[in-house]
Coordinates of all heavy atoms in Angstrom, one line a residue:
G1 N -149.4 159.3 61.7 CA -149.0 160.4 62.4 C -148.3 160.2 63.7 O -148.2 161.0 64.6
I2 N -147.9 158.9 64.0 CA -147.2 158.6 65.2 C -145.6 158.6 65.0 O -145.1 158.1 64.0 CB -147.5 157.2 65.7 CG1 -149.0 157.1 66.1 CG2 -146.7 156.7 66.9 CD1 -149.4 157.9 67.2
S3 N -144.9 159.2 65.9 CA -143.5 159.3 65.8 C -142.9 158.7 67.1 O -143.2 159.1 68.2 CB -143.0 160.8 65.7 OG -141.6 160.9 65.7
A4 N -141.9 157.7 66.9 CA -141.4 157.1 68.1 C -139.9 156.8 67.8 O -139.5 156.6 66.6 CB -142.1 155.8 68.4
S5 N -139.1 156.8 68.8 CA -137.7 156.5 68.7 C -137.3 155.4 69.7 O -137.8 155.3 70.8 CB -136.8 157.8 69.0 OG -137.1 158.8 68.0
M6 N -136.3 154.6 69.2 CA -135.8 153.5 70.1 C -134.3 153.4 70.0 O -133.8 153.7 69.0 CB -136.5 152.1 69.6 CG -136.0 151.0 70.3 SD -136.5 149.4 69.6 CE -135.5 149.4 68.1
K7 N -133.7 153.0 71.1 CA -132.3 152.7 71.0 C -132.1 151.3 71.6 O -132.8 150.8 72.4 CB -131.4 153.7 71.8 CG -131.6 153.7 73.3 CD -130.7 154.7 73.9 CE -130.8 154.7 75.4 NZ -130.0 155.7 76.1
I8 N -131.0 150.7 71.1 CA -130.7 149.3 71.6 C -129.6 149.5 72.6 O -128.5 150.1 72.4 CB -130.2 148.5 70.4 CG1 -131.3 148.4 69.3 CG2 -129.8 147.1 70.9 CD1 -130.8 147.8 68.0
T9 N -129.8 148.8 73.8 CA -128.8 148.8 74.8 C -128.5 147.3 75.2 O -129.1 146.4 74.7 CB -129.3 149.5 76.1 OG1 -130.4 148.7 76.7 CG2 -129.8 150.9 75.7
D10 N -127.5 147.2 76.1 CA -127.2 145.8 76.6 C -128.4 145.2 77.4 O -128.6 144.0 77.4 CB -126.0 145.9 77.5 CG -124.7 146.1 76.8 OD1 -124.7 145.9 75.5 OD2 -123.7 146.6 77.4
E11 N -129.3 146.1 77.9 CA -130.5 145.6 78.7 C -131.6 145.2 77.7 O -132.4 144.4 78.1 CB -130.9 146.7 79.6 CG -130.0 147.0 80.7 CD -130.4 148.1 81.6 OE1 -130.8 149.2 81.1 OE2 -130.4 148.0 82.8
G12 N -131.7 145.8 76.5 CA -132.8 145.5 75.6 C -133.1 146.7 74.7 O -132.2 147.5 74.4
Y13 N -134.3 146.9 74.4 CA -134.8 147.9 73.4 C -135.5 148.9 74.1 O -136.5 148.7 74.8 CB -135.7 147.2 72.3 CG -135.0 146.1 71.6 CD1 -134.9 144.8 72.1 CD2 -134.2 146.3 70.5 CE1 -134.2 143.8 71.5 CE2 -133.5 145.4 69.8 CZ -133.5 144.1 70.3 OH -132.7 143.1 69.7
V14 N -135.0 150.2 74.1 CA -135.5 151.2 74.9 C -136.3 152.2 74.1 O -135.8 152.8 73.2 CB -134.4 152.1 75.6 CG1 -134.9 153.1 76.4 CG2 -133.5 151.1 76.5
L15 N -137.6 152.3 74.3 CA -138.5 153.3 73.7 C -138.2 154.6 74.4 O -138.3 154.7 75.7 CB -139.9 152.8 73.9 CG -141.0 153.6 73.1 CD1 -140.7 153.6 71.6 CD2 -142.3 153.0 73.4
L16 N -137.8 155.6 73.7 CA -137.3 156.8 74.3 C -138.4 157.8 74.6 O -139.5 157.9 74.0 CB -136.4 157.5 73.3 CG -135.1 156.7 72.9 CD1 -134.2 157.4 71.9 CD2 -134.3 156.4 74.1
S17 N -138.1 158.5 75.7 CA -139.0 159.6 76.1 C -139.3 160.5 75.0 O -138.4 160.8 74.2 CB -138.4 160.4 77.3 OG -139.1 161.5 77.6
G18 N -140.5 161.0 74.8 CA -140.9 161.8 73.7 C -141.6 161.0 72.6 O -142.2 161.6 71.7
S19 N -141.4 159.7 72.6 CA -142.1 158.8 71.6 C -143.6 158.9 71.8 O -144.1 159.0 72.9 CB -141.7 157.4 71.8 OG -140.3 157.3 71.5
Q20 N -144.3 158.9 70.7 CA -145.7 159.0 70.7 C -146.3 157.5 70.7 O -145.7 156.6 70.1 CB -146.3 159.8 69.5 CG -145.8 161.2 69.6 CD -146.2 162.0 68.3 OE1 -146.6 161.4 67.3 NE2 -146.0 163.3 68.3
V21 N -147.5 157.4 71.3 CA -148.1 156.1 71.4 C -149.6 156.3 70.9 O -150.3 157.2 71.4 CB -148.1 155.6 72.9 CG1 -148.8 154.3 73.0 CG2 -146.7 155.4 73.4
Y22 N -150.0 155.5 70.0 CA -151.3 155.5 69.5 C -152.3 155.1 70.6 O -152.0 154.2 71.3 CB -151.4 154.5 68.3 CG -152.7 154.6 67.5 CD1 -153.1 155.8 66.9 CD2 -153.6 153.5 67.4 CE1 -154.3 155.9 66.2 CE2 -154.8 153.6 66.7 CZ -155.1 154.8 66.1 OH -156.3 154.9 65.4
S23 N -153.4 155.8 70.6 CA -154.3 155.6 71.8 C -155.2 154.4 71.7 O -155.7 153.9 72.7 CB -155.3 156.8 71.9 OG -156.0 157.0 70.7
K24 N -155.4 153.7 70.6 CA -156.3 152.6 70.4 C -155.6 151.3 70.2 O -154.6 151.3 69.5 CB -157.3 152.9 69.3 CG -158.1 154.1 69.5 CD -159.1 154.3 68.4 CE -160.0 155.5 68.8 NZ -160.3 156.4 67.8
D25 N -156.2 150.2 70.7 CA -155.7 148.9 70.5 C -156.4 148.2 69.4 O -157.6 148.4 69.3 CB -155.9 148.0 71.8 CG -155.1 148.4 73.0 OD1 -154.1 149.2 72.8 OD2 -155.4 148.0 74.1
S26 N -155.7 147.4 68.6 CA -156.3 146.5 67.7 C -156.8 145.3 68.4 O -156.4 144.9 69.4 CB -155.2 146.1 66.6 OG -155.6 145.0 65.9
N27 N -157.8 144.7 67.8 CA -158.4 143.5 68.3 C -157.4 142.4 68.3 O -157.5 141.4 69.1 CB -159.6 143.0 67.5 CG -160.8 143.9 67.7 OD1 -160.9 144.6 68.8 ND2 -161.7 144.0 66.8
S28 N -156.4 142.4 67.4 CA -155.4 141.4 67.3 C -154.3 141.5 68.4 O -153.5 140.5 68.5 CB -154.7 141.3 65.9 OG -154.0 142.5 65.7
L29 N -154.2 142.5 69.1 CA -153.1 142.7 70.1 C -153.3 141.7 71.2 O -154.5 141.5 71.7 CB -153.2 144.2 70.6 CG -152.0 144.6 71.4 CD1 -150.8 144.6 70.6 CD2 -152.3 146.0 72.0
G30 N -152.3 141.1 71.6 CA -152.3 140.1 72.6 C -152.7 140.7 74.0 O -152.5 141.8 74.3
Y31 N -153.2 139.8 74.8 CA -153.7 140.2 76.2 C -152.6 140.8 77.0 O -152.9 141.9 77.7 CB -154.2 138.9 76.9 CG -154.7 139.1 78.3 CD1 -156.0 139.7 78.5 CD2 -154.0 138.8 79.4 CE1 -156.4 139.9 79.8 CE2 -154.4 138.9 80.6 CZ -155.6 139.5 80.9 OH -156.1 139.8 82.1
S32 N -151.5 140.2 77.1 CA -150.4 140.8 78.0 C -150.0 142.2 77.5 O -149.7 143.1 78.4 CB -149.2 139.9 78.1 OG -148.6 139.7 76.9
L33 N -149.9 142.4 76.2 CA -149.5 143.7 75.7 C -150.6 144.7 75.9 O -150.4 145.9 76.2 CB -149.0 143.6 74.2 CG -148.2 144.8 73.8 CD1 -147.1 145.1 74.7 CD2 -147.7 144.5 72.4
K34 N -151.9 144.3 75.8 CA -153.0 145.2 76.1 C -152.9 145.6 77.6 O -153.1 146.8 77.8 CB -154.3 144.5 75.8 CG -154.7 144.5 74.4 CD -156.2 144.0 74.2 CE -156.5 143.9 72.7 NZ -157.8 143.5 72.5
N35 N -152.6 144.7 78.5 CA -152.5 145.1 79.9 C -151.4 146.0 80.1 O -151.5 147.0 80.9 CB -152.3 143.8 80.7 CG -153.6 143.1 80.9 OD1 -154.7 143.6 80.7 ND2 -153.5 141.8 81.3
L36 N -150.2 145.8 79.5 CA -149.1 146.7 79.6 C -149.5 148.1 79.1 O -149.2 149.1 79.8 CB -147.9 146.1 78.9 CG -146.6 147.0 78.9 CD1 -146.1 147.1 80.3 CD2 -145.6 146.5 78.0
R37 N -150.1 148.1 77.9 CA -150.5 149.5 77.4 C -151.4 150.1 78.3 O -151.3 151.3 78.6 CB -151.1 149.3 76.0 CG -150.1 149.2 74.9 CD -150.7 148.9 73.5 NE -151.8 149.8 73.2 CZ -151.6 151.0 72.6 NH1 -150.4 151.4 72.2 NH2 -152.6 151.8 72.3
N38 N -152.4 149.4 78.8 CA -153.4 150.0 79.7 C -152.8 150.6 81.0 O -153.1 151.6 81.5 CB -154.5 149.1 80.0 CG -155.5 148.8 78.9 OD1 -155.6 149.6 78.0 ND2 -156.1 147.6 78.8
K39 N -151.8 149.8 81.5 CA -151.1 150.2 82.7 C -150.4 151.5 82.5 O -150.5 152.5 83.3 CB -150.1 149.1 83.1 CG -149.2 149.5 84.3 CD -148.2 148.4 84.5 CE -147.1 148.9 85.5 NZ -146.0 147.9 85.6
F40 N -149.6 151.6 81.4 CA -148.9 152.9 81.1 C -149.7 154.0 80.6 O -149.4 155.2 80.9 CB -147.8 152.6 80.1 CG -146.6 152.0 80.8 CD1 -146.4 150.6 80.9 CD2 -145.6 152.8 81.4 CE1 -145.3 150.1 81.6 CE2 -144.5 152.3 82.1 CZ -144.4 150.9 82.2
L41 N -150.8 153.7 79.9 CA -151.6 154.8 79.4 C -152.5 155.4 80.5 O -153.1 156.5 80.3 CB -152.5 154.3 78.3 CG -151.8 153.8 77.0 CD1 -152.8 153.4 76.0 CD2 -150.9 154.9 76.4
S42 N -152.5 154.8 81.7 CA -153.3 155.3 82.8 C -152.4 155.9 83.9 O -152.9 156.1 85.0 CB -154.2 154.3 83.3 OG -153.5 153.2 83.9
N43 N -151.1 156.0 83.7 CA -150.3 156.5 84.8 C -149.6 157.8 84.4 O -149.7 158.3 83.3 CB -149.3 155.4 85.3 CG -148.2 155.1 84.4 OD1 -147.8 155.9 83.6 ND2 -147.6 153.9 84.5
S44 N -148.7 158.2 85.3 CA -148.1 159.6 85.1 C -146.8 159.5 84.3 O -146.1 160.5 84.1 CB -147.7 160.1 86.5 OG -146.8 159.3 87.2
N45 N -146.4 158.4 83.7 CA -145.3 158.2 82.9 C -145.6 158.6 81.4 O -144.7 158.4 80.5 CB -144.7 156.8 82.9 CG -144.2 156.4 84.3 OD1 -143.7 157.3 85.0 ND2 -144.4 155.2 84.7
I46 N -146.8 159.0 81.2 CA -147.2 159.3 79.9 C -148.2 160.5 79.9 O -148.9 160.7 80.9 CB -147.8 158.0 79.2 CG1 -147.9 158.1 77.7 CG2 -149.2 157.7 79.9 CD1 -148.0 156.7 77.1
K47 N -148.2 161.3 78.9 CA -149.2 162.4 78.9 C -150.0 162.3 77.6 O -149.6 161.8 76.6 CB -148.4 163.7 78.9 CG -147.6 164.1 77.7 CD -147.0 165.5 77.8 CE -146.3 165.9 76.5 NZ -145.7 167.2 76.6
K48 N -151.2 162.8 77.7 CA -152.2 162.8 76.6 C -152.0 164.0 75.8 O -151.8 165.1 76.2 CB -153.6 162.8 77.2 CG -154.6 162.5 76.1 CD -156.0 162.1 76.6 CE -156.8 161.6 75.5 NZ -158.0 161.0 76.0
L49 N -152.0 163.8 74.5 CA -151.7 164.9 73.5 C -153.1 165.4 73.0 O -154.1 164.8 73.1 CB -150.9 164.3 72.3 CG -149.6 163.7 72.6 CD1 -148.9 163.1 71.4 CD2 -148.7 164.9 73.2
D50 N -153.1 166.5 72.3 CA -154.3 167.2 71.9 C -155.1 166.3 70.8 O -156.3 166.4 70.8 CB -154.0 168.5 71.2 CG -153.5 169.5 72.2 OD1 -153.8 169.4 73.4 OD2 -152.9 170.5 71.8
D51 N -154.3 165.4 70.1 CA -154.9 164.6 69.1 C -155.6 163.3 69.7 O -156.1 162.4 69.0 CB -154.0 164.3 67.9 CG -152.8 163.4 68.4 OD1 -152.7 163.0 69.5 OD2 -151.9 163.2 67.5
G52 N -155.4 163.1 71.0 CA -155.9 162.0 71.7 C -154.9 160.8 71.9 O -155.2 159.9 72.6
N53 N -153.8 160.9 71.2 CA -152.7 159.9 71.4 C -151.9 160.3 72.7 O -152.3 161.3 73.4 CB -151.8 159.8 70.1 CG -152.6 159.3 69.0 OD1 -153.4 158.3 69.1 ND2 -152.6 159.9 67.8
F54 N -150.8 159.6 72.9 CA -150.1 159.8 74.1 C -148.6 160.0 73.8 O -148.1 159.7 72.6 CB -150.2 158.6 75.0 CG -151.6 158.4 75.5 CD1 -152.5 157.6 74.8 CD2 -152.0 159.0 76.7 CE1 -153.8 157.4 75.2 CE2 -153.3 158.8 77.1 CZ -154.2 158.0 76.4
E55 N -147.9 160.5 74.8 CA -146.4 160.7 74.6 C -145.7 160.3 75.9 O -146.2 160.6 77.0 CB -146.1 162.2 74.4 CG -144.6 162.5 74.2 CD -144.3 163.9 73.9 OE1 -144.9 164.5 72.9 OE2 -143.5 164.5 74.7
L56 N -144.7 159.4 75.7 CA -143.9 159.0 76.9 C -143.1 160.1 77.5 O -142.5 160.9 76.8 CB -142.9 157.9 76.5 CG -143.4 156.5 76.1 CD1 -142.3 155.6 75.8 CD2 -144.2 155.9 77.2
I57 N -143.1 160.2 78.8 CA -142.3 161.2 79.4 C -141.1 160.6 80.2 O -140.4 161.3 80.9 CB -143.1 162.1 80.4 CG1 -143.8 161.3 81.5 CG2 -144.1 163.0 79.6 CD1 -144.5 162.2 82.5
Q58 N -140.9 159.3 80.0 CA -139.7 158.6 80.4 C -139.5 157.4 79.6 O -140.4 156.9 78.9 CB -139.8 158.2 81.9 CG -140.7 157.0 82.1 CD -140.7 156.5 83.6 OE1 -140.8 157.4 84.5 NE2 -140.6 155.2 83.8
D59 N -138.2 157.0 79.5 CA -137.9 155.8 78.7 C -138.5 154.6 79.2 O -138.9 154.5 80.4 CB -136.3 155.6 78.7 CG -135.6 156.7 78.0 OD1 -136.2 157.6 77.4 OD2 -134.3 156.7 78.2
L60 N -138.8 153.6 78.3 CA -139.4 152.4 78.6 C -138.7 151.2 78.0 O -138.5 151.2 76.8 CB -140.9 152.5 78.1 CG -141.8 151.4 78.5 CD1 -142.0 151.2 80.0 CD2 -143.2 151.7 78.0
L61 N -138.3 150.3 78.8 CA -137.5 149.1 78.3 C -138.4 148.0 77.8 O -139.3 147.6 78.6 CB -136.5 148.6 79.4 CG -135.6 147.5 79.2 CD1 -134.6 147.8 78.1 CD2 -135.0 147.0 80.4
F62 N -138.0 147.4 76.7 CA -138.6 146.2 76.2 C -137.6 145.1 75.8 O -136.4 145.4 75.7 CB -139.4 146.5 74.9 CG -140.6 147.4 75.1 CD1 -140.5 148.8 75.1 CD2 -141.9 146.9 75.4 CE1 -141.6 149.6 75.3 CE2 -143.0 147.6 75.6 CZ -142.8 149.0 75.6
T63 N -138.1 143.9 75.7 CA -137.2 142.7 75.5 C -137.1 142.5 73.9 O -136.2 141.7 73.5 CB -137.6 141.4 76.1 OG1 -139.0 141.2 75.7 CG2 -137.6 141.6 77.6
S64 N -137.9 143.1 73.1 CA -137.8 142.9 71.7 C -138.3 144.2 71.0 O -139.1 144.9 71.5 CB -138.6 141.7 71.2 OG -140.0 142.1 71.1
P65 N -137.7 144.4 69.7 CA -138.2 145.5 69.0 C -139.7 145.4 68.6 O -140.4 146.5 68.4 CB -137.3 145.6 67.8 CG -136.8 144.2 67.6 CD -136.8 143.6 69.0
S66 N -140.1 144.2 68.3 CA -141.5 144.0 68.0 C -142.5 144.4 69.1 O -143.5 145.0 68.9 CB -141.8 142.6 67.5 OG -141.0 142.3 66.3
T67 N -142.1 144.1 70.3 CA -143.0 144.4 71.5 C -143.0 145.9 71.7 O -144.0 146.5 71.9 CB -142.5 143.7 72.7 OG1 -142.4 142.3 72.5 CG2 -143.4 144.0 73.9
A68 N -141.8 146.5 71.5 CA -141.8 148.0 71.6 C -142.7 148.6 70.6 O -143.4 149.6 70.9 CB -140.3 148.5 71.5
L69 N -142.7 148.2 69.4 CA -143.4 148.8 68.3 C -144.9 148.5 68.5 O -145.8 149.4 68.2 CB -142.9 148.5 66.9 CG -143.4 149.3 65.8 CD1 -143.2 150.8 66.0 CD2 -142.8 148.9 64.5
A70 N -145.2 147.3 68.9 CA -146.6 146.9 69.2 C -147.2 147.8 70.3 O -148.3 148.2 70.2 CB -146.7 145.5 69.5
F71 N -146.4 148.1 71.3 CA -146.8 149.0 72.3 C -147.1 150.4 71.7 O -148.1 151.0 72.1 CB -145.7 149.2 73.4 CG -146.1 150.1 74.5 CD1 -146.8 149.7 75.7 CD2 -145.6 151.5 74.5 CE1 -147.1 150.6 76.6 CE2 -145.9 152.3 75.5 CZ -146.7 151.9 76.6
V72 N -146.3 150.9 70.8 CA -146.5 152.2 70.2 C -147.7 152.2 69.3 O -148.6 153.2 69.4 CB -145.3 152.6 69.3 CG1 -145.6 153.8 68.4 CG2 -144.1 152.9 70.2
L73 N -147.9 151.2 68.5 CA -149.0 151.2 67.5 C -150.3 150.6 68.0 O -151.3 150.8 67.3 CB -148.5 150.5 66.3 CG -147.3 151.2 65.5 CD1 -146.9 150.3 64.4 CD2 -147.7 152.6 65.2
G74 N -150.3 149.8 69.1 CA -151.5 149.1 69.6 C -151.9 148.0 68.7 O -153.1 147.6 68.7
R75 N -150.9 147.4 67.9 CA -151.3 146.3 67.1 C -150.0 145.4 66.9 O -148.9 145.9 67.2 CB -151.8 146.7 65.7 CG -150.8 147.5 64.9 CD -151.3 147.9 63.5 NE -150.5 148.7 62.8 CZ -149.5 148.3 62.0 NH1 -149.2 147.0 61.8 NH2 -148.7 149.1 61.3
N76 N -150.2 144.2 66.5 CA -149.0 143.3 66.3 C -148.3 143.8 65.1 O -148.9 144.1 64.1 CB -149.5 141.8 66.1 CG -150.0 141.3 67.4 OD1 -149.6 141.6 68.5 ND2 -151.1 140.5 67.3
V77 N -147.0 143.8 65.2 CA -146.1 144.3 64.1 C -144.7 143.7 64.2 O -144.3 143.4 65.3 CB -146.1 145.9 64.0 CG1 -145.5 146.4 65.3 CG2 -145.4 146.4 62.8
N78 N -144.1 143.5 63.1 CA -142.7 143.0 63.1 C -141.7 144.2 63.2 O -141.5 144.9 62.2 CB -142.4 142.2 61.8 CG -141.1 141.5 61.8 OD1 -140.1 142.0 62.5 ND2 -140.9 140.5 61.1
G79 N -141.3 144.4 64.4 CA -140.4 145.5 64.7 C -139.0 145.4 63.9 O -138.5 146.4 63.6
W80 N -138.6 144.2 63.6 CA -137.4 144.0 62.8 C -137.5 144.7 61.4 O -136.5 145.1 60.9 CB -137.0 142.6 62.7 CG -136.5 142.0 64.0 CD1 -137.2 141.2 64.9 CD2 -135.2 142.2 64.6 NE1 -136.4 141.0 66.0 CE2 -135.2 141.5 65.8 CE3 -134.0 142.9 64.2 CZ2 -134.0 141.5 66.7 CZ3 -133.0 142.9 65.0 CH2 -132.9 142.2 66.2
L81 N -138.7 144.7 60.9 CA -138.9 145.2 59.6 C -139.4 146.7 59.6 O -139.0 147.4 58.7 CB -139.9 144.4 58.8 CG -139.6 142.9 58.6 CD1 -140.7 142.2 57.9 CD2 -138.3 142.8 57.8
Y82 N -140.1 147.1 60.6 CA -140.7 148.4 60.6 C -139.9 149.5 61.4 O -140.2 150.7 61.1 CB -142.1 148.3 61.1 CG -143.0 147.7 60.0 CD1 -143.3 146.4 60.1 CD2 -143.5 148.5 59.0 CE1 -144.1 145.7 59.2 CE2 -144.2 147.9 58.0 CZ -144.6 146.5 58.1 OH -145.3 145.9 57.1
W83 N -139.0 149.1 62.3 CA -138.2 150.2 62.9 C -137.1 150.5 61.8 O -136.5 149.7 61.3 CB -137.4 149.7 64.1 CG -138.2 149.7 65.3 CD1 -138.7 148.6 66.1 CD2 -138.7 150.8 66.1 NE1 -139.4 148.9 67.2 CE2 -139.4 150.3 67.2 CE3 -138.6 152.2 66.0 CZ2 -140.0 151.2 68.2 CZ3 -139.2 153.0 66.9 CH2 -139.8 152.5 68.0
K84 N -137.0 151.8 61.6 CA -136.0 152.3 60.5 C -135.0 153.3 61.1 O -135.4 154.1 62.0 CB -136.7 153.0 59.4 CG -137.9 152.2 58.7 CD -137.4 151.3 57.7 CE -138.6 150.6 57.1 NZ -138.3 149.8 56.0
N85 N -133.8 153.3 60.7 CA -132.8 154.3 61.1 C -133.0 155.5 60.2 O -133.9 155.6 59.4 CB -131.4 153.7 61.1 CG -130.9 153.4 59.7 OD1 -131.5 153.8 58.7 ND2 -129.7 152.7 59.7
K86 N -132.2 156.5 60.5 CA -132.3 157.8 59.8 C -132.1 157.6 58.3 O -132.5 158.4 57.5 CB -131.2 158.8 60.3 CG -131.6 159.2 61.7 CD -130.5 160.2 62.3 CE -130.9 160.5 63.7 NZ -129.9 161.3 64.4
N87 N -131.4 156.6 57.9 CA -131.2 156.3 56.4 C -132.2 155.5 55.8 O -132.2 155.1 54.6 CB -129.8 155.6 56.2 CG -128.6 156.5 56.7 OD1 -128.6 157.7 56.5 ND2 -127.6 155.9 57.3
G88 N -133.3 155.1 56.6 CA -134.4 154.3 56.1 C -134.1 152.8 56.0 O -134.9 152.1 55.4
N89 N -133.0 152.4 56.6 CA -132.7 151.0 56.7 C -133.4 150.3 57.9 O -133.5 150.9 59.0 CB -131.3 150.7 56.8 CG -130.5 151.2 55.6 OD1 -130.9 150.9 54.4 ND2 -129.4 151.9 55.8
S90 N -134.0 149.1 57.7 CA -134.7 148.4 58.7 C -133.8 147.9 59.8 O -132.6 147.7 59.5 CB -135.5 147.3 58.2 OG -134.7 146.3 57.7
L91 N -134.3 147.7 60.9 CA -133.5 147.1 62.0 C -132.9 145.7 61.6 O -131.8 145.4 61.8 CB -134.3 146.9 63.3 CG -133.6 146.4 64.5 CD1 -132.4 147.3 64.9 CD2 -134.6 146.3 65.7
D92 N -133.7 145.0 60.8 CA -133.3 143.7 60.3 C -132.0 143.9 59.4 O -131.0 143.2 59.6 CB -134.4 143.0 59.5 CG -134.0 141.7 58.9 OD1 -133.8 140.8 59.7 OD2 -133.9 141.6 57.7
K93 N -132.1 144.9 58.5 CA -130.9 145.0 57.7 C -129.7 145.5 58.4 O -128.6 145.1 58.2 CB -131.3 146.1 56.6 CG -130.2 146.3 55.6 CD -130.7 147.1 54.4 CE -129.5 147.2 53.4 NZ -129.9 147.9 52.2
V94 N -129.9 146.4 59.4 CA -128.8 147.0 60.1 C -128.2 146.0 61.1 O -126.9 145.9 61.1 CB -129.3 148.2 60.9 CG1 -128.2 148.7 61.8 CG2 -129.7 149.3 59.9
K95 N -129.0 145.2 61.8 CA -128.4 144.4 62.8 C -128.3 142.9 62.4 O -127.2 142.3 62.5 CB -129.3 144.4 64.1 CG -129.3 145.7 64.7 CD -127.9 146.1 65.2 CE -127.7 145.8 66.7 NZ -126.4 146.2 67.1
R96 N -129.3 142.3 61.9 CA -129.3 140.8 61.6 C -128.5 140.6 60.4 O -127.6 139.7 60.4 CB -130.7 140.3 61.4 CG -131.5 140.2 62.7 CD -132.9 139.6 62.4 NE -133.6 139.2 63.5 CZ -134.9 138.9 63.5 NH1 -135.5 138.9 62.3 NH2 -135.5 138.5 64.5
Q97 N -128.8 141.2 59.3 CA -128.1 140.9 58.0 C -126.7 141.4 58.0 O -125.9 140.8 57.2 CB -128.9 141.6 56.9 CG -130.3 140.9 56.7 CD -131.0 141.6 55.6 OE1 -130.5 142.3 54.7 NE2 -132.4 141.3 55.5
S98 N -126.3 142.3 58.9 CA -124.9 142.7 58.9 C -124.0 141.6 59.6 O -122.8 141.7 59.5 CB -124.7 144.0 59.7 OG -125.1 143.8 61.0
L99 N -124.6 140.6 60.2 CA -123.9 139.5 60.9 C -123.2 138.6 59.8 O -122.3 137.9 60.1 CB -124.7 138.8 61.9 CG -125.2 139.6 63.0 CD1 -126.2 138.7 63.9 CD2 -124.1 140.1 63.9
N100 N -123.8 138.5 58.7 CA -123.3 137.6 57.6 C -123.1 136.2 58.1 O -122.1 135.6 57.8 CB -122.1 138.1 57.0 CG -122.3 139.4 56.2 OD1 -123.3 139.6 55.6 ND2 -121.3 140.4 56.3
I101 N -124.1 135.7 58.7 CA -124.0 134.2 59.2 C -124.6 133.3 58.1 O -125.6 133.5 57.6 CB -124.8 134.1 60.5 CG1 -124.1 134.9 61.6 CG2 -124.9 132.6 61.0 CD1 -124.8 135.0 62.9

């Protein structure tokens, strides 16, 4: 039941305002990402929803799609495979595989 949107910019991967963030961390989530989540989940850049989860009220920049998605889900995840566009294509398919290297 989590909905999040991201855009790619020259600066990195931007988790967009309005994106939802799961409230709980997995035991497998790394220390630095847990700290980042705790920092943002306890400040005014995010609001608590009725279901206990959170919603970003401003954009948030990340250096990788996996870090952005791990922030959203509270667990380690491969963002290249799990971020999908409106057509259901993974970020890997849209960006990496289109390079034809």
Side-chain angles (χ1 to χ4, degrees):
I2 296 292
S3 174
S5 298
M6 178 189 69
K7 71 177 177 180
I8 302 170
T9 69
D10 290 338
E11 295 176 311
Y13 301 87
V14 180
L15 189 59
L16 300 177
S17 173
S19 293
Q20 297 173 350
V21 177
Y22 188 62
S23 62
K24 296 181 177 142
D25 292 344
S26 163
N27 291 335
S28 68
L29 190 64
Y31 178 77
S32 62
L33 198 48
K34 279 186 183 185
N35 283 341
L36 178 65
R37 278 176 53 88
N38 288 335
K39 174 185 168 186
F40 277 93
L41 296 181
S42 65
N43 72 26
S44 62
N45 297 325
I46 201 160
K47 70 177 181 179
K48 191 163 190 169
L49 300 173
D50 292 339
D51 64 3
N53 293 315
F54 297 91
E55 182 179 302
L56 289 180
I57 58 173
Q58 74 176 44
D59 294 350
L60 188 57
L61 178 66
F62 291 90
T63 57
S64 81
S66 296
T67 304
L69 194 54
F71 179 86
V72 168
L73 298 177
R75 64 180 175 84
N76 292 326
V77 61
N78 186 333
W80 288 100
L81 298 178
Y82 287 96
W83 280 111
K84 308 277 182 172
N85 67 9
K86 292 177 183 177
N87 297 324
N89 295 315
S90 70
L91 183 59
D92 181 66
K93 183 173 185 174
V94 172
K95 293 301 260 180
R96 287 178 169 175
Q97 294 179 13
S98 67
L99 297 176
N100 294 323
I101 296 175

